[in-house]
Amino acid sequence: MTSPMPQQPQNTSQPSHTTEPTDVPQQAHAPHDPQAPAATPAPYEETRIERAVGRLFGRATGRALAPYQTAVIRIGFSATWLLFLLREWPHRLTLYGPDSPWSLDMARRLLDANHAFSMLLWSDGRGWFECVYLMAVASSAALLLGWRTRTMSVLFMLGVISLQNRSVFIGDGGDNVIHLMSMYLVLTRCGQVWSLDARRAKRARTAAEASAAEVSAAGGEASEQAQTAVRTPGAGRGRDLTGIVLWAVLGLALAVAQLTGSYALLWFDNGPFPHIGWSLVLWGLWVAHGLWWAVQRYAPGEPRTVLDTLTKLAHNGALLVIMVEVCLVYSTAGWYKIQGSRWQDGTAVYYPMHLDYFSPWPALSQLLGSNGLMVMLITYGTVIVQVAFPFTLFNRRLKNVLLVIMICEHLSIAFLLGLPFFSLAMIAADAVFLPTNFLTWLSTRVSGLRERLFPRTLAAGPDGGPGGGEPPARTEHGGGGHTLVG
Amino acid sequence: MRPRRYGSPAELTAWIYGNGAGMQSYGDEPRPLAALSLPSRIVIGVAACAVAVIVAIHLAMMFLHVAPQNTLSKQQGALISDYVYPEYEQNWKLFAPNPLQQNVAVQVRAEVRAEDGNGRTTGWTDLTARDGRAILHNPLPSHTEQNQLRRGWELFLNSHNAQGRPIGTRGELAERYIRRIVMFRMQGEWTAGGGRVERIQVRSRTAAVSPPPWSTEKISDKPVYRVQPWWQVTTADLPEGANSQ
């Protein structure tokens, strides 16, 4: 009941839920709407398809869906990569640096052929390598905390693909998931909640609302003006010096890399999409960030709404890609398993546990592998869950049960097969399907725990939550933030 | 768990466009899209169509890349791999169709020329067993122990034909990769008493995982050795900084 956002695909099974947002585009185009420019005298009956398209359009442009789920995958993937980088800190030179058996020359020869991106090819020096590695660590930490999320997601992606493409042959499935998701996260607004960005925005808003309340208390007539001041994005936000510095420094760095003719910085070739090079992508993102700031500050009316809608579209598109990607992982994993004789005779799970590379706890593996019935049940269960998962998305309860099973299975893989980072990455991917109710509940519990562990003064109380993002369910329940203040 | 119903139109609008007190860190104005000017609405409409098309193409490509070979992916193979490689490459055959049922160990030995000109051949060293010892009782195995040699050897096998000849650049690189992994790990040990490594030899020892205790399957427990020819070691195979020797 705390889920006003139709972010889960399983919501499609709840007609009462999905029909609600549809009213908006219809309403918006309704002939009696005075603002509709093409007002026709006779009421126009929309066909079902038109209504469906309108509904879809309204959903895709209405808001950045699934704020909690995108936040949780942001945290999940950045934490996995951060922990991995820290764990490999003693081995970093062997894995990705000058001491790697996969030498930089060999990497160059391979990447010259397949055109993968890596900043590590820009210079041979150890100093540059350390810079990139540290940048990867720092950007993961910042993305985890949600500090300058949009910028950090770009740096996070650059760190991930630079390191991984430098030494492709030491990665595994977990690295592969992080590689893909780091690129998709760039296009999502993954810092809407549980982030320092959200906390900063909320503080700015509270400050603006407080001043507005003061004004409205002074004179009734001024109150309307004050309310618009609250809505004006520049109000209470300042000119954002940190953002400007960050933007300028990164632009300068990119310009230097571009002008020195660094590897892979091409405009129309060898990029992430056909005929879109990495230069175009990176400069495009840089310009977009600058434009967003300028529009926020100087053109808060229509231009801002347009840009905002475009980013929502990108967010929702990327979110859909992420969700389908997770389904693809499971369905193809299941699809191939079904073809295997060991998965059919119910012994498949026994074998990985007895491989030297995947048995950190041989005694435990032996013990689990000694029960034939158990091995068969787990083997069949794995196939069933993987094949079924995409279809259970249409049933909320079933999906949640499967999520729990899959997360448990990944936890045991983490321990039994000695694949902690792979499992963490997969759990993070699963998390995009966690129900909002659960996530807001978790948020409340974590805030409560934090309040108990580190009691705060009353003044800092209201925005003292972790990352400051108040679940919308709670704020809306209170009748909206401004009524509390007003 | 009933979805909340929206009482007033204002509430609904606030929900759709953000009410300023919600979670949108960038703030939203209660400005319905229909109230925008025509150019703005055209921009948004075109963008929505573009996003829909891009998402559809991207997902179709991802699907065709991860799905088994089929009519369409055979026809459009070049187009799909152009799109997918290098950044969207992925493989989700996790322990599938069948999990690996063999332990493959990589073992190495060397011919060391001492300073007085005498040559000697070392005994075999099992590098995989060393990886295994590093992984044993380790909750956080490093990629250097779990993946480097394992995947390096996979690459080597995949890029060599049945006669052991390298296939293309990849095969050549893979061979050098194995030589370098061996030298990085063993050089110090082999040349501890002086001298220098002239040639190395690599072999793989493949042993089937014995079938489960309840199974009646009979599988030969005799390991199979695959011995590579002796490889000359060049300075390019040595860790940087070791060239001065």
Side-chain angles (χ1 to χ4, degrees):
Chain A
M1 75 263 135
T2 51
S3 166
M5 298 81 84
Q7 60 277 76
Q8 270 109 33
Q10 75 279 1
N11 286 337
T12 42
S13 64
Q14 299 172 349
S16 67
H17 199 169
T18 45
T19 47
E20 248 120 30
T22 65
D23 298 333
V24 171
Q26 280 170 278
Q27 222 175 39
H29 295 296
H32 53 78
D33 188 338
Q35 279 170 318
T40 43
Y44 172 68
E45 278 289 310
E46 284 176 314
T47 66
R48 273 177 76 177
I49 295 174
E50 277 172 339
R51 258 203 304 275
V53 169
R55 193 185 311 154
L56 204 69
F57 180 76
R59 258 203 191 195
T61 55
R63 44 169 299 166
L65 299 167
Y68 287 92
Q69 286 78 0
T70 42
V72 102
I73 59 171
R74 178 200 89 221
I75 293 167
F77 290 120
S78 56
T80 307
W81 185 240
L82 177 65
L83 291 174
F84 170 76
L85 291 179
L86 294 179
R87 191 267 169 267
E88 298 290 10
W89 180 262
H91 306 293
R92 67 191 187 286
L93 295 171
T94 313
L95 286 176
Y96 305 110
D99 294 351
S100 169
W102 187 257
S103 71
L104 207 56
D105 282 337
M106 295 159 83
R108 273 209 179 94
R109 281 179 64 185
L110 188 74
L111 297 199
D112 275 341
N114 74 3
H115 307 302
F117 180 88
S118 179
M119 293 198 302
L120 285 172
L121 266 56
W122 291 357
S123 161
D124 286 19
R126 171 161 177 190
W128 174 241
F129 165 74
E130 299 284 11
C131 273
V132 173
Y133 200 90
L134 279 174
M135 187 280 278
V137 170
S139 59
S140 316
L143 189 64
L144 173 67
L145 296 173
W147 184 77
R148 304 281 158 186
T149 319
R150 300 297 70 238
T151 309
M152 290 306 143
S153 69
V154 180
L155 294 181
F156 176 71
M157 170 190 75
L158 291 178
V160 168
I161 63 178
S162 291
L163 291 171
Q164 290 189 359
N165 287 342
R166 155 74 178 79
S167 302
V168 242
F169 298 111
I170 47 134
D172 53 32
D175 294 285
N176 204 333
V177 173
I178 293 178
H179 187 116
L180 294 169
M181 295 303 178
S182 72
M183 299 174 76
Y184 298 148
L185 276 180
V186 169
L187 294 174
T188 58
R189 275 185 170 179
C190 50
Q192 294 180 91
V193 294
W194 297 344
S195 67
L196 294 178
D197 284 351
R199 186 169 74 170
R200 196 173 57 243
K202 188 164 177 275
R203 281 185 178 162
R205 214 157 35 222
T206 319
E209 275 166 14
S211 62
E214 264 171 45
V215 176
S216 64
E221 224 163 277
S223 82
E224 203 172 311
Q225 248 179 341
Q227 282 296 337
T228 20
V230 172
R231 300 232 178 268
T232 312
R237 196 166 288 186
R239 76 165 76 87
D240 188 14
L241 200 63
T242 322
I244 295 174
V245 169
L246 203 58
W247 185 75
V249 166
L250 291 175
L252 199 68
L254 186 56
V256 169
Q258 185 80 58
L259 290 176
T260 51
S262 299
Y263 167 80
L265 284 185
L266 300 173
W267 292 97
F268 301 108
D269 286 302
N270 308 343
F273 295 105
H275 309 297
I276 296 179
W278 280 106
S279 284
L280 200 60
V281 170
L282 296 175
W283 282 116
L285 286 167
W286 186 76
V287 168
H289 284 204
L291 193 66
W292 179 240
W293 176 86
V295 163
Q296 286 236 76
R297 198 160 163 73
Y298 301 113
E302 187 161 319
R304 203 181 84 89
T305 312
V306 172
L307 274 195
D308 191 42
T309 310
L310 295 185
T311 59
K312 282 173 192 161
L313 271 170
H315 168 101
N316 293 333
L319 178 66
L320 181 66
V321 169
I322 290 172
M323 288 174 152
V324 175
E325 179 66 53
V326 177
C327 291
L328 277 181
V329 171
Y330 285 114
S331 49
T332 49
W335 196 349
Y336 283 106
K337 280 189 178 74
I338 275 187
Q339 302 170 27
S341 55
R342 291 296 180 203
W343 293 97
Q344 288 168 7
D345 71 12
T347 58
V349 167
Y350 168 87
Y351 289 97
M353 291 195 299
H354 291 77
L355 293 176
D356 296 339
Y357 275 110
F358 302 106
S359 48
W361 317 99
L364 191 62
S365 297
Q366 227 109 57
L367 186 73
L368 283 172
S370 64
N371 187 335
L373 188 65
M374 178 107 122
V375 168
M376 194 198 92
L377 289 177
I378 297 175
T379 303
Y380 276 21
T382 304
V383 175
I384 291 170
V385 166
Q386 292 193 342
V387 173
F389 180 70
F391 304 100
T392 62
L393 294 180
F394 297 100
N395 183 302
R396 186 186 174 82
R397 251 180 231 172
L398 206 54
K399 176 215 68 177
N400 290 339
V401 171
L402 247 63
L403 269 184
V404 172
I405 296 174
M406 289 196 317
I407 289 174
C408 289
E409 184 160 14
H410 282 132
L411 286 176
S412 44
I413 285 174
F415 183 72
L416 262 184
L417 301 187
L419 293 167
F421 298 107
F422 164 77
S423 304
L424 259 183
M426 292 310 294
I427 291 172
D430 295 341
V432 77
F433 292 111
L434 284 175
T436 306
N437 292 341
F438 169 73
L439 293 172
T440 47
W441 171 84
L442 196 72
S443 156
T444 323
R445 293 301 294 261
V446 171
S447 321
L449 194 71
R450 214 189 82 152
E451 289 295 310
R452 234 177 304 154
L453 289 177
F454 314 100
R456 287 222 175 170
T457 53
L458 211 69
D463 35 39
E470 285 286 312
R474 277 197 285 159
T475 34
E476 278 182 25
H477 202 70
H482 34 265
T483 40
L484 286 176
V485 180
Chain B
M1 302 291 157
R2 298 189 129 259
R4 224 183 120 195
R5 295 200 70 87
Y6 298 94
S8 64
E11 203 181 348
L12 182 61
T13 321
W15 175 81
I16 292 287
Y17 301 104
N19 58 5
M23 71 310 297
Q24 305 269 327
S25 50
Y26 306 96
D28 283 87
E29 280 163 74
R31 199 182 165 92
L33 295 187
L36 296 176
S37 68
L38 186 65
S40 298
R41 276 185 294 155
I42 289 174
V43 166
I44 290 170
V46 168
C49 295
V51 167
V53 169
I54 291 168
V55 166
I57 291 177
H58 187 80
L59 291 178
M61 290 294 182
M62 294 301 109
F63 174 79
L64 290 172
H65 172 59
V66 295
Q69 276 265 307
N70 55 48
T71 318
L72 194 57
S73 60
K74 275 180 208 155
Q75 255 171 27
Q76 303 294 337
L79 188 74
I80 296 167
S81 48
D82 270 359
Y83 185 93
V84 168
Y85 292 100
E87 304 299 355
Y88 305 108
E89 185 183 0
Q90 51 198 293
N91 175 8
W92 306 117
K93 295 178 195 169
L94 308 168
F95 301 120
N98 272 328
L100 190 65
Q101 295 155 59
Q102 302 158 333
N103 274 309
V104 183
V106 178
Q107 304 177 337
V108 293
R109 64 174 177 174
E111 235 176 56
V112 183
R113 176 85 42 199
E115 265 126 42
D116 58 10
N118 288 334
R120 71 183 168 91
T121 308
T122 65
W124 289 101
T125 304
D126 193 330
L127 292 182
T128 303
R130 291 187 177 192
D131 280 348
R133 279 199 292 280
I135 291 169
L136 189 68
H137 299 158
N138 185 350
L140 298 171
S142 164
H143 273 19
T144 52
E145 295 143 5
Q146 206 168 30
N147 291 354
Q148 190 185 61
L149 183 61
R150 182 177 64 87
R151 289 214 51 207
W153 190 250
E154 268 174 31
L155 172 72
F156 178 83
L157 293 181
N158 292 339
S159 59
H160 282 69
N161 61 17
Q163 286 77 45
R165 300 244 140 254
I167 307 166
T169 324
R170 245 175 203 241
E172 200 188 305
L173 285 174
E175 218 169 281
R176 197 160 133 211
Y177 188 36
I178 296 295
R179 280 204 300 274
R180 282 173 62 89
I181 292 176
V182 172
M183 291 309 289
F184 273 57
R185 295 190 183 191
M186 294 305 295
Q187 163 150 281
E189 221 167 290
W190 281 334
T191 58
R196 99 198 141 73
V197 177
E198 287 210 315
R199 300 196 298 169
I200 59 168
Q201 192 175 33
V202 180
R203 71 174 183 190
S204 65
R205 175 189 183 276
T206 307
V209 172
S210 48
W214 67 86
S215 164
T216 51
E217 255 174 87
K218 291 274 177 291
I219 279 183
S220 162
D221 54 359
K222 248 195 172 162
V224 176
Y225 288 93
R226 186 169 161 180
V227 186
Q228 300 299 321
W230 283 93
W231 286 331
Q232 207 72 36
V233 174
T234 65
T235 44
D237 301 328
L238 301 176
E240 260 120 84
N243 303 356
S244 50
Q245 286 187 347

